Amino acid sequence: LPYLYTLAWQASQNGDPLARPLFWAEPDNRDLWEVEDSFMLGDALLVAPVLEEGMSRRQIILPRGVWYSFWDDTVFTGPGRINVETSLETIPLLARAGSILPMVEGDRLLLHIYTDAGGYIHEGPQLLYSDAGDGYGDWRLDNFTMHQHGNTLEIKRQSEGEFPFPYPLVELRLHGFQVKEAWVDDCEIPHSGNLIQTTIFQKVLIKV
C-alpha cells in the first residue's frame, strides 16, 4: 500500500498513471512500442500477467537494466527477451535494480532495496508519501536517494511536510548483496544477513 499510495499521490500532482507502458521511461527502445501484454507499475515494478489458460512459462520483453524476480530474487538483464516460469501463485513480477520499494508489515515500514554487483542505480526519485489516509490535512514526503561506491551503499533521506512519520520501526531488506557492516546516522548497528532493523534515519551506510 505505501508504494501504491505514493503512486496515486504522484498521479494527482503530475498526471503520471500508476500503470504505464514499458516504453514510458525508454521511448527510444522500439522493441517496447508494441508490447501490450505487460506493463510498468510505477518505475520500480514490471508486471507480466498470464493471459492464457494453462500457461507454465511466458516470454517477457525487458527494458534495459537489471531486474529481480519479486518472488525469489532471480536476476535478469535487459534489454532483451526472457522466458520465466509462472503459476497460479506467482504472476511474473520483476523489480528494477536501483529501486527502493516501500511496503508495510504490521507497524513496520519495509524498504526493499534492489541493487546489483555492477553498481547499476536507476535514476529517479525514490519517494514515500504519507498522510492520514484521507488526502486531507497534514502530509509528509520522504525522498530517498541511493548511491553505490564500490562495495559501499549509501542511502540518504530528506523529508518535508508536517505529518509525523507513521512507522515506529523501519526494516531494510537488501536484495543482491549480503550485509557485512552497517551504520545508521554514523552509529554502527547489528544486522542479520540482508536485513537491517532501525527507526527512521537520515543516512545509512552499508558495506557489502
Side-chain angles (χ1 to χ4, degrees), residues 9 13 127-131 138-144 157-166 202:
W9 171 79
Q13 299 298 301
L127 302 177
L128 175 64
Y129 176 81
S130 306
D131 61 20
D138 290 342
W139 55 273
R140 72 176 292 126
L141 186 67
D142 291 279
N143 190 341
F144 299 90
R157 182 190 66 87
Q158 294 181 322
S159 65
E160 57 182 292
E162 300 299 324
F163 189 73
F165 190 73
Q202 298 297 322

Side-chain angles (χ1 to χ4, degrees), residues 22-40:
L22 294 192
F23 64 78
W24 183 266
E26 200 176 325
D28 59 331
N29 186 343
R30 301 176 70 92
D31 289 339
L32 304 179
W33 290 3
E34 303 299 327
V35 176
E36 297 180 346
D37 62 353
S38 57
F39 61 92
M40 296 296 300

Side-chain angles (χ1 to χ4, degrees), residues 116-192:
D116 79 286
Y120 174 81
I121 298 296
H122 172 59
E123 295 183 359
Q126 313 276 341
L127 302 177
L128 175 64
Y129 176 81
S130 306
D131 61 20
D134 56 10
Y136 299 95
D138 290 342
W139 55 273
R140 72 176 292 126
L141 186 67
D142 291 279
N143 190 341
F144 299 90
T145 57
M146 183 162 56
H147 302 281
Q148 189 170 330
H149 312 281
N151 65 344
T152 301
L153 184 68
E154 180 184 66
I155 302 169
K156 293 183 177 180
R157 182 190 66 87
Q158 294 181 322
S159 65
E160 57 182 292
E162 300 299 324
F163 189 73
F165 190 73
Y167 307 101
L169 296 173
V170 179
E171 182 173 290
L172 285 72
R173 296 188 180 181
L174 198 66
H175 299 263
F177 284 121
Q178 293 293 309
V179 179
K180 295 181 179 178
E181 300 175 25
W183 292 265
V184 174
D185 296 332
D186 297 324
C187 295
E188 188 170 3
I189 64 168
H191 60 275
S192 176

